[in-house]
Amino acid sequence: MSEHTITVAGVAIDTRHWIGGERVASAQTFPDVSPIDGSTIGGISRGTAMEAAAAVAAAKAAFPAWAATSRAERARILHAIADGVEKRIEELSIVETTDNGALLRSHRRGVMPRVAHNFRFFADWLLKLEHEDFETRGHTNHVSWDPAGPSVLITPWNAPLMLATWKVAPALAAGNTVILKPAEWTPLTASLLADIAAEAGLPAGVLNVVQGYGSEIGDALTSHPDVRRISFTGSVPTAKRIAESAAANLTPLSLELGGKSPLLVFADADLDLAVDLAVEQYDNAGQVCLAATRFLVEESVAEEFTRRFVEKAGQLTQGDPRGEATDIGPNIHPLQLEKIDGFVQRAVAAGARAVIGGHRKDGQYYAPTLLTDVAQDSEVVQEEVFGPVLTLQTFATEDEAVRLANDTRFGLAATLATGDPERAERVTAQLVAGTVWTNCFFVRDLQAPFGGSRHSGVGREGGTWSFDFYCDLKNTVTSPNGWKNHG
């Protein structure tokens, strides 16, 4: 076995970058640590500006041929990648669970099948992508989507492969070449994706994977003049740095950022349903950008809602995410755990009450927490915690509920529980959010636009919106005159 290969549950993973169809090692490595038990999985090639330049050069060299590849052939290769993912769902699942601590059963049943679906969906959407021609004073307008060029995709650690392929699949389908930079805390499945793509026949240089820290390789990627698109999912502060870096070259950006989403529970709601939706916000140990972390509950049902919530949350099992019965695993990293606990302890010191939780457990596990007696302008209500920490506030009127829901700098999502369809229509029309769920949560379709308002992001992706971002749209206007020498 190569010195650059590590194994996770018998799965061999190359720790080097994938650049121009070849494995490339860096002079230094960084440790990849499992949040399950704090053990070091292995050393990962630590990229610098040199590897960034090489990856962009490879993507630039491969772009003309890939852009000229027919839609049908691009779609065929994307389906072949999906086939490769489906053949390795078990391997990808155990590797990703080891790397980021999310539930193994969720990876097997939902997340990794969704990875394959990402490729299939955008392959199929590509083949039907069109805009009907239209006339202007006898002239014909024809809209087309031209591949934009090398694209840098910077992806997060909370759902590494699924969120990476949510970007990689449409970028490749659009005819762009890609430089994928996974989060340094969860690099492993991106390396496996490079192998799967190569086995599926994706030409060398079309997909490149580089690893490392944002300050060492990320800045070099986002400031590169040959990069024509940048898509990033992560924190607001990092997004601001990326935007500054990209500004010099006017590189278009797509930013999917944080959230502080509300769950509005009205007195006319099915309380059992509302409680189920509320407990679901602990999914992935609270490390979900879309999570409705702020419960806004009508005063008349707040006591009963809280009683049922505490009972339901008490049935959750926290522990090793590889266990079939586990509901909540660890948080990703000691730094993140420190951040989560800091939010809670400062809130309690300011007068908040921990109805459940409010403390660390052994290792990198944090007890599912619900805080009450929190002020609207408090840090824990206004800022994204990104852990299993929820707050509960009450409201007296519909107008107050909407005001509280919209009173943060974010606008990623919102969830509404009500038994009145007219109220649902009134309230959802007033909520500032990219996605609103009524009496449900986390139902997502790749046909729908996805993104956030305010500090939750810039732009929308999904369906044709993804192609609008990854392409240069062209309108060709043709006069009916001038064909006199033809035919």
Side-chain angles (χ1 to χ4, degrees), residues 402-419:
V402 171
R403 178 181 61 78
L404 292 172
N406 288 338
D407 188 22
T408 75
R409 63 193 173 109
F410 297 102
L412 187 57
T415 303
L416 174 67
T418 178

Side-chain angles (χ1 to χ4, degrees), residues 292-311:
T293 57
R294 295 185 296 130
F295 298 167
L296 304 175
V297 185
E298 193 162 354
E299 290 174 352
S300 62
V301 295
E303 183 176 348
E304 178 64 13
F305 172 88
T306 303
R307 185 190 69 76
R308 295 191 198 185
F309 176 85
V310 169
E311 180 181 356

Side-chain angles (χ1 to χ4, degrees), residues 408-479:
T408 75
R409 63 193 173 109
F410 297 102
L412 187 57
T415 303
L416 174 67
T418 178
D420 184 344
E422 293 181 356
R423 165 174 278 151
E425 185 175 353
R426 284 194 309 271
V427 171
T428 56
Q430 298 175 74
L431 294 175
V432 178
T435 300
V436 179
W437 287 287
T438 301
N439 294 326
C440 60
F441 177 66
F442 219 56
V443 178
R444 288 185 55 189
D445 192 310
L446 287 177
Q447 297 181 74
F450 179 75
S453 304
R454 297 175 176 168
H455 280 206
S456 287
V458 175
R460 295 291 185 271
E461 295 186 57
T464 301
W465 291 277
S466 286
F467 288 95
D468 288 348
F469 172 70
Y470 288 110
C471 292
D472 289 323
L473 269 72
K474 179 190 293 178
N475 184 43
T476 301
V477 184
T478 303
S479 168

Side-chain angles (χ1 to χ4, degrees), residues 12-276:
I13 306 159
D14 200 306
T15 61
R16 296 171 291 180
H17 313 283
W18 177 253
I19 299 174
E22 297 180 351
R23 289 292 177 177
V24 176
S26 293
Q28 293 183 297
T29 63
F30 65 91
D32 184 31
V33 177
S34 174
I36 298 174
D37 55 11
S39 63
T40 298
I41 301 170
I44 310 299
S45 278
R46 180 173 169 176
T48 64
M50 181 173 67
E51 287 84 4
V56 174
K60 182 179 180 181
F63 174 66
W66 182 243
T69 300
S70 70
R71 287 188 178 191
E73 178 62 8
R74 274 186 255 151
R76 185 193 67 78
I77 292 176
L78 263 62
H79 275 293
I81 295 173
D83 292 341
V85 169
E86 289 176 344
K87 290 176 183 176
R88 301 184 69 174
I89 280 179
E90 183 62 26
E91 294 180 9
L92 292 167
S93 296
I94 189 60
V95 168
E96 190 133 296
T97 290
T98 304
D99 211 16
N100 88 327
L103 300 184
L104 179 57
R105 73 167 191 257
S106 296
H107 280 134
R108 285 171 171 161
R109 300 172 189 173
V111 177
M112 293 308 163
R114 170 63 183 271
V115 169
H117 176 65
N118 285 345
F119 284 103
R120 296 202 191 282
F121 173 87
F122 285 107
D124 293 341
W125 201 267
L126 170 65
L127 296 181
K128 62 183 181 182
L129 182 67
E130 63 178 351
H131 189 292
E132 186 177 349
D133 289 352
F134 56 97
E135 298 295 319
T136 304
R137 297 190 302 275
H139 297 66
T140 301
N141 292 264
H142 177 75
V143 176
S144 57
W145 286 261
D146 291 352
S151 301
V152 167
L153 313 179
I154 303 175
T155 55
W157 46 259
N158 58 323
L161 192 58
M162 194 274 283
L163 292 178
T165 55
W166 161 248
K167 300 176 186 296
V168 170
L172 295 180
N176 291 359
T177 50
V178 166
I179 306 99
L180 171 63
K181 194 274 182 195
E184 59 266 26
W185 289 349
T186 53
L188 299 184
T189 48
S191 181
L192 293 176
L193 177 64
D195 295 334
I196 291 170
E199 293 165 6
L202 191 70
V206 174
L207 172 65
N208 306 275
V209 179
V210 292
Q211 303 145 159
Y213 299 116
S215 60
E216 296 178 350
I217 191 169
D219 291 346
L221 291 171
T222 56
S223 63
H224 201 292
D226 290 333
V227 170
R228 295 314 314 139
R229 292 292 186 274
I230 299 171
S231 182
F232 168 73
T233 297
S235 71
V236 172
T238 302
K240 290 181 178 180
R241 292 196 297 272
I242 290 173
E244 290 175 0
S245 181
N249 302 306
L250 294 179
T251 307
L253 293 166
S254 175
L255 303 173
E256 197 268 280
L257 309 177
K260 196 67 182 176
S261 302
L263 166 60
L264 292 81
V265 179
F266 287 90
D268 57 20
D270 178 334
L271 272 195
D272 287 333
L273 171 62
V275 168
D276 286 344

Side-chain angles (χ1 to χ4, degrees), residues 277-292:
L277 295 175
V279 173
E280 194 174 347
Q281 308 312 312
Y282 288 131
D283 182 46
N284 201 18
Q287 299 168 142
V288 178
C289 59
L290 291 162

